[in-house]
Amino acid sequence: MAEAPDPSFASDNVAGASPEILEALTEAARGADAPYGDDSVTARLGEVIREQFGSRAEVLPVFNGTGANVVALQAASPRWGAAICSASAHIHRDEGGAPEKVGGVKLLPRPAAHLGVEDVREELRTQGFVHAAQPTVVSLTQATEQGTVYPLDQVAAVADAAHAAGLTVHMDGARLANAAAALGVDLRTAVTDVGVDVLSLGATKNGAVGAEAVVVIDPDRVPGIDYVRKASMQLASKQQFLSAQLVRMFGTDLWHRHASHANRQARRLGEALDRCPGARLARDPEVNAVFVEVFDEVAAAVRTRYVCHTWEHSDEGHQVLRLMCSFETTDRQIDDLVALVRGVGATD
Amino acid sequence: MAEAPDPSFASDNVAGASPEILEALTEAARGADAPYGDDSVTARLGEVIREQFGSRAEVLPVFNGTGANVVALQAASPRWGAAICSASAHIHRDEGGAPEKVGGVKLLPRPAAHLGVEDVREELRTQGFVHAAQPTVVSLTQATEQGTVYPLDQVAAVADAAHAAGLTVHMDGARLANAAAALGVDLRTAVTDVGVDVLSLGATKNGAVGAEAVVVIDPDRVPGIDYVRKASMQLASKQQFLSAQLVRMFGTDLWHRHASHANRQARRLGEALDRCPGARLARDPEVNAVFVEVFDEVAAAVRTRYVCHTWEHSDEGHQVLRLMCSFETTDRQIDDLVALVRGVGATD
Amino acid sequence: MAEAPDPSFASDNVAGASPEILEALTEAARGADAPYGDDSVTARLGEVIREQFGSRAEVLPVFNGTGANVVALQAASPRWGAAICSASAHIHRDEGGAPEKVGGVKLLPRPAAHLGVEDVREELRTQGFVHAAQPTVVSLTQATEQGTVYPLDQVAAVADAAHAAGLTVHMDGARLANAAAALGVDLRTAVTDVGVDVLSLGATKNGAVGAEAVVVIDPDRVPGIDYVRKASMQLASKQQFLSAQLVRMFGTDLWHRHASHANRQARRLGEALDRCPGARLARDPEVNAVFVEVFDEVAAAVRTRYVCHTWEHSDEGHQVLRLMCSFETTDRQIDDLVALVRGVGATD
Amino acid sequence: MAEAPDPSFASDNVAGASPEILEALTEAARGADAPYGDDSVTARLGEVIREQFGSRAEVLPVFNGTGANVVALQAASPRWGAAICSASAHIHRDEGGAPEKVGGVKLLPRPAAHLGVEDVREELRTQGFVHAAQPTVVSLTQATEQGTVYPLDQVAAVADAAHAAGLTVHMDGARLANAAAALGVDLRTAVTDVGVDVLSLGATKNGAVGAEAVVVIDPDRVPGIDYVRKASMQLASKQQFLSAQLVRMFGTDLWHRHASHANRQARRLGEALDRCPGARLARDPEVNAVFVEVFDEVAAAVRTRYVCHTWEHSDEGHQVLRLMCSFETTDRQIDDLVALVRGVGATD
């Protein structure tokens, strides 16, 4: 009887949850605490976030990444605002139109995966033109959906251009931990110091059960964000259970250990696959995503055992697969996958 | 040094989480599973829900009660729809305007805590009148914010009137377990058999870490609800962790044990308080809320030790307090609170 | 062959258009002018509005009253705002839910037709409570849907209470001309001097073809209103044709002549009906609406010839009719209607 | 003293209004009529539209083009819908984000000015993918913002592809009259016969004071559109004044006379400019827009006397100007403009 294909390399959100996170949940479960964020765990989270991001930083735990993004974009935009983003951004392609439907925030998608100063300048041409939704936010994804990492000076340059024109800088950091680990910097360096005003901080893909946060670096830029979170259905009654995950993740080195592991395993997987016949790395893994070009028959063989996404098709009988590693990817899992690929390639 | 007041009787969402729920989370945390609801735990949840609510029932786990309500109201309403509800309903008073802001669903609040057939009829007067947002949903809360329980025949009568006019029946069941336990009926009898079309099913207030669901009884009435949930930011990536809580809660008798306990403790607390000098029950507890009228000095004394809500002020030096019991309210907690009230009353 | 019933007394929006307004349109039609409000007629309108409402006043012509109201409410409210209004307000009952659907502005309806300071105070109880849509605007209707006029000191008192709490004061002035004429004051006295921040200024019901405006008294309270108007689909390309109507209406005494005529005819009609057997005035007409209580058979007879609204039914065989006069109601029309009523009453 | 530059060639919405339209308004102004579309003129408009577009066609007059588009897109889309359009479409670039803000309709912009079957197919790849706003409408602009006309068979092919996938076809016909005149076909051929389901029908740019309409070809595809129009603030109280303009425009040959005149003058202007030194047609005018490439000094000289838009800059000292003709562009106006250009060119 055929087993269901293994989803382990399909995405980093197929992973289970870290034992340390479960332990934190269990500790938080003991006894009554005030609801809706007035609890003691959330108070501790505030300290953790200030330690990580600076003394003005504020934190609003939310349920998921789309929630974090849509709360942040709304709070950073007046009614007539629009957000400049990459056409490949999660907010544009993978959030069911929530920014527009929930917040009325029009998106201004740009072809580049990494936004540059020229993308901001181009969209600013409609600034003050009453017929256009006004660009009021620039949203950068760090790390990107393509598994790439913005150089810090590029984030800083985009932020400078945005600020000079009165715009607010949002970072979608669903995989911020992977980016910071790859860059070898702490979170403040990756976010606060390069001019980000409001951050969607991810934990779920990095080993949490389910917890994300909006981290406000510059509170003046997101007035009323508490009300926005509530009206966006992202205020948890038993918030201590979100905060407990985030405290464990960012109040210890857990975020870094998990992200480094995932990144390292991706490099390991990538290098091993690149040595297989019938496969070659499409580009060096920067974080935890591996893009490998394989012959179609290799892809077919991989699919008999694993769930995985075809990122691009090419005409000549091969395709690019995306394989993702997570905080719990083992050497054994990598070896098994590589052996499968090597076996097919050798046969050909 | 003064301790912080004890929040234990402030609401049922101040309670921690049940060990059984934590156990279910821990079990679900083992290893990779498909994301966004394609996981094995959610598959099992589908079976549980069909067993409980009938073979056509469908389930969409969501993060919180506001999320469940706003997803349900939107899916049950075309763009021009409006929802008839009680003026005391959670959707009207406690959801930050989310039904209107996220879904454009205008609310048509009625004074009665328990909606009746006449409430539906009155609001139907604008049916077909192009200048009015069209009534398309009736939303009932079971149990209500006032701690009362709709008689089943009243739900059925309202549902009949709604259906006769082409409207959809929504039930906000954040405390459905308490209502069903109080009525001594199973969930199908409390929901499916009385004509509810779409249900917000609560678990968080009844001992979960954080999990609710939209249960669709009549799928024809909520077309596209999967897309609505996604665009409403209520689709979890690691949905197994929501589903695991719901499977444990509704796939066993946990919902009933927890709710019965909370209801019983409320009766116990109410009866004891009613025997204290300076206090009397404002009405018999139907579920897990106790409304007790006390002299202002009693209230003041209670507040030195407990967080609690004043439900009503009266002119003559007394007020009605709301005290809520939960799945984890102990006899000892009740005895301590009663002793405090008795002490103050005796002193006067 | 039966003729269609005469709609002349059904509302003031059934009237045609004033010849003076048509003349203004024809003059504006000569030759090219800049679009979207950069035209010379709109420039002149700016002067007219400053003369009428004060030197800081700004004007944004729009298409209709609902448009004016929804633009004003949105511009005066952040995303999390709500508007306090009468339950009988046009924004609550007759705008198809547009404030909620287009702007996400939750309405907080109060029973009173004339809002008082206590209505504001009552709704302010949720100020700062994150679970409630925040009251940010008070919306008064002058004259009201019931044909009554707010005393100026009541508007001022409500405005003071609103401003003290940081709220913005909106006036729905679809029939402001009638109210000002009835009060015997100019527009500045009726609006600017009593603390209104943003006004929906009506012309259509008072003889225009179709033109209303948002008049901003305090520009600081409605940031970005130009963008809001555009995104609300209320920016006309050939705006000179809206402005021309408004210049003629408010740059001459036309508004006052028309409104005074309508008010006078209503008084005349009311007094005459009050002398008919089987009819009596329900209350003295304050503006151009007449509420007359008649026997059901009188109502039936009136309806054979006229379209008219039953405002209230009473148990004992009579009902209250609403009859409205307009800028073009003639003595002859009144005499005919009165003769009909008198004839039926005499027969009985 | 310097005169203000002449706006006559800046756009077709800078034109005044046709005397025939003013005459129709004046006729409609005589006496009372039922409000909100129950008037006799709107009844006549229904006949006119059925004659032009077929016996199932329905018409909803609205105030402006953005209103027509946003009403149509909303009515054709469930809450989770998205509209495929050209990146240069008016709905994407020039409506202040109204489709997204008012209707939550996400736009899926495609690079091509003329959408093709492949554009539909490409966007259909997300059909059924819950993470994407679902493509439910295809919106074509006829004539386009670039002054081009879709071949009828291309509209039909796109409509077929759209219908095959269950999508609705919307046409933005703000300049439909110009397109139909250019194609030499009647309106039914240009719209109904090629598979359009719902049309935004323009009159304002073609000589009206201000009137547009949503024309519904297939009523099954836009359920509840009456409510949508009302909630979108596009229902006029004195609708007879919108309908009167539309009856005159489409119940006579006025639409064709005006549009043909504008198209002819554009050809005349284009040919004359192409013969001037320092200027050449960028492409042959298909409707009433002329795109002419001129040296920068010619552009500067034109701007001393005329308002006009630079459509594209090129690096080598020249630019493309857009000059638009209207129903009232005279030979004399063209001769004056051409003389100016010729004079500058000759001097160089």
Side-chain angles (χ1 to χ4, degrees), chain D residues 9-77:
Chain D
F9 292 98
S11 180
D12 39 6
N13 60 23
V14 305
S18 160
E20 292 170 69
I21 293 291
L22 285 163
E23 187 183 79
L25 276 181
T26 304
E27 283 169 18
R30 287 177 195 137
D33 212 336
Y36 297 113
D38 292 332
D39 60 275
S40 54
V41 190
T42 298
R44 171 66 192 130
L45 176 63
E47 297 169 8
V48 165
I49 291 298
R50 286 189 293 278
E51 287 158 17
Q52 291 284 4
F53 293 96
S55 61
R56 292 190 72 206
E58 298 177 0
V59 60
L60 297 94
V62 295
F63 296 116
N64 64 351
T66 300
N69 287 336
V70 176
V71 167
L73 291 175
Q74 287 179 92
S77 288

Side-chain angles (χ1 to χ4, degrees), chain B residues 74-96:
Chain B
Q74 287 179 91
S77 288
R79 292 178 178 283
W80 54 92
I84 304 169
C85 65
S86 166
S88 58
H90 203 267
I91 57 173
H92 187 53
R93 292 178 55 90
D94 295 294
E95 300 192 346

